[in-house]
Amino acid sequence: LQNILSSPKLRGQMGEHSLGNLLANILPADTYELQHTFKNGKIVDALIKLDNHTVPIDAKFPLPAFEKITKAETEEEKIRLRKSFHNDVIKHIDKIAEQYILPAEGTLDFAMMYIPAENIYYETIVKYPGDSKDIVEISLDKKVIPVSPNLLFTYLSTIVMGLNGLQIEKQAA
C-alpha cells in the first residue's frame, strides 16, 4: 500500500476508484459519469447529472504533504509543514474552481473536492491556533466544497432523495 500511495498516478487512481465505488453504491448508473471531458479539454473525475445541471467532483489530494506532517518530530516542524500542506490544498482548490466550475457547460456554480481519507479531510478543514489561512473559508469562497467519504455519502443520499422526488413528480404529472 505504501508503494501504491507513493506514486501520484496510482494514488490518483485509488482516489478515483474510491469515488467511483461510492457513486455506484448510492446513485443510479445513469445519474453520474466518470472521467467526463469538458469542452476545455479538462477531465473531471466524476460528474453527477441532475435534470438540468451537473455537479463536478475531483478526487485528487496532496498526500505527500500530509504524510510529512504525520512524520514531523517537533511542533515547529509540524506548523511549517501544515502551512505547506495548506498551500498545496489552496492551489488545488484554485485549479478545481478554474477548470471544473463551468456553468456555460451546465455545471452548477460549485464543485466538490473529494478527499478519500477521513484523517486527511480533517487535517484539511481544521484551523489550528496561529494558522493564517482557513481552508474551509477559502474553499467556500471559491465554491469548492471539500468532502470526505462520510460527508459525500450524506450528500449523495440527499441527491438520491431529490432524484426520487423528481421521479415521483414526473410520474404524477
Side-chain angles (χ1 to χ4, degrees):
L1 183 59
Q2 189 65 28
N3 289 338
I4 290 171
L5 292 176
S6 66
S7 164
K9 183 170 177 68
L10 291 175
R11 185 172 60 248
Q13 289 172 345
M14 186 189 84
E16 292 165 13
H17 181 72
S18 168
L19 175 60
N21 282 341
L22 194 53
L23 292 169
N25 287 330
I26 300 170
L27 295 177
D30 62 339
T31 60
Y32 69 93
E33 179 183 342
L34 300 177
Q35 300 300 307
H36 173 79
T37 303
F38 288 108
K39 290 176 187 170
N40 65 8
K42 302 301 179 186
I43 300 171
V44 69
D45 296 317
L47 196 68
I48 298 175
K49 301 175 189 178
L50 306 172
D51 264 0
N52 298 318
H53 298 286
T54 58
V55 178
I57 305 175
D58 181 83
K60 293 163 190 67
F61 59 102
L63 182 65
F66 173 77
E67 287 178 328
K68 289 177 185 175
I69 295 170
T70 63
K71 294 176 182 173
E73 294 181 9
T74 67
E75 192 57 34
E76 293 79 24
E77 186 180 10
K78 259 187 188 176
I79 291 169
R80 181 181 56 78
L81 292 170
R82 193 176 302 118
K83 285 180 184 179
S84 176
F85 173 72
H86 281 183
N87 287 334
D88 288 350
V89 172
I90 291 168
K91 286 177 193 171
H92 192 63
I93 289 167
D94 290 339
K95 179 182 167 191
I96 292 169
E98 178 185 316
Q99 294 181 356
Y100 305 139
I101 300 176
L102 304 169
E105 290 196 40
T107 70
L108 289 172
D109 68 345
F110 69 92
M112 292 188 196
M113 178 175 67
Y114 177 66
I115 303 168
E118 296 293 335
N119 57 340
I120 299 172
Y121 172 77
Y122 175 80
E123 192 64 41
T124 302
I125 65 161
V126 72
K127 185 172 190 240
Y128 292 96
D131 283 352
S132 60
K133 298 175 182 173
D134 183 341
I135 298 293
V136 172
E137 186 177 307
I138 291 168
S139 66
L140 294 179
D141 284 346
K142 305 259 180 174
K143 299 189 176 188
V144 175
I145 302 168
V147 293
S148 68
N150 289 333
L151 191 53
L152 184 59
F153 177 85
T154 303
Y155 283 141
L156 293 175
S157 297
T158 303
I159 289 170
V160 166
M161 287 175 28
L163 291 171
N164 289 340
L166 286 172
Q167 187 66 27
I168 291 169
E169 184 179 308
K170 284 180 185 178
Q171 289 173 346

